[in-house]
Amino acid sequence: ARRVRVARHREGRGDRLMLGDYSDLTEEQRDIVLAVREFVDREVIPVASELEHADEFPTSLVATMREMGLFSL
């Protein structure tokens, strides 16, 4: 089993797990990882705690993820 190196980074919003090595990924896979990371940073992190505490399903986030094609990977 291949192990992915994971590093913890601190960016003012608590610990985040980040992939430590992209060398085994294709360019397309790296593009997907970067697009998802940008989406999470921009759209998910700012509202995650609020949605969790409100026990609210993130309908708009899921719709955006569907539009990005993340459910068909």
Side-chain angles (χ1 to χ4, degrees), residues 17 26 32 39 46 53 56 61-63 65 73:
L17 293 178
T26 66
I32 292 168
F39 169 73
H53 290 345
E56 191 174 316
L61 293 176
V62 172
M65 292 167 63
L73 295 175

Side-chain angles (χ1 to χ4, degrees), residues 29-41:
Q29 290 169 327
R30 284 191 300 271
D31 289 346
I32 292 168
V33 169
L34 294 174
V36 170
R37 179 174 292 151
E38 289 173 5
F39 169 73
V40 169
D41 287 345

Side-chain angles (χ1 to χ4, degrees), residues 1-68:
R2 184 179 177 286
R3 295 183 71 120
V4 176
R5 284 190 349 224
V6 176
R8 287 199 180 272
H9 291 271
R10 204 164 207 40
E11 294 187 10
R13 292 187 186 264
D15 286 338
R16 290 187 32 212
L17 293 178
M18 312 261 302
L19 290 175
D21 184 8
Y22 295 115
S23 63
D24 291 342
L25 300 180
T26 66
E27 184 175 349
E28 180 180 18
Q29 290 169 327
R30 284 191 300 271
D31 289 346
I32 292 168
V33 169
L34 294 174
V36 170
R37 179 174 292 151
E38 289 173 5
F39 169 73
V40 169
D41 287 345
R42 185 182 63 248
E43 304 290 334
V44 177
I45 290 173
V47 298
S49 181
E50 177 184 329
L51 289 170
E52 183 176 355
H53 290 345
D55 196 27
E56 191 174 316
F57 185 78
T59 304
S60 64
L61 293 176
V62 172
T64 302
M65 292 167 63
R66 185 179 315 111
E67 291 169 11
M68 292 173 69

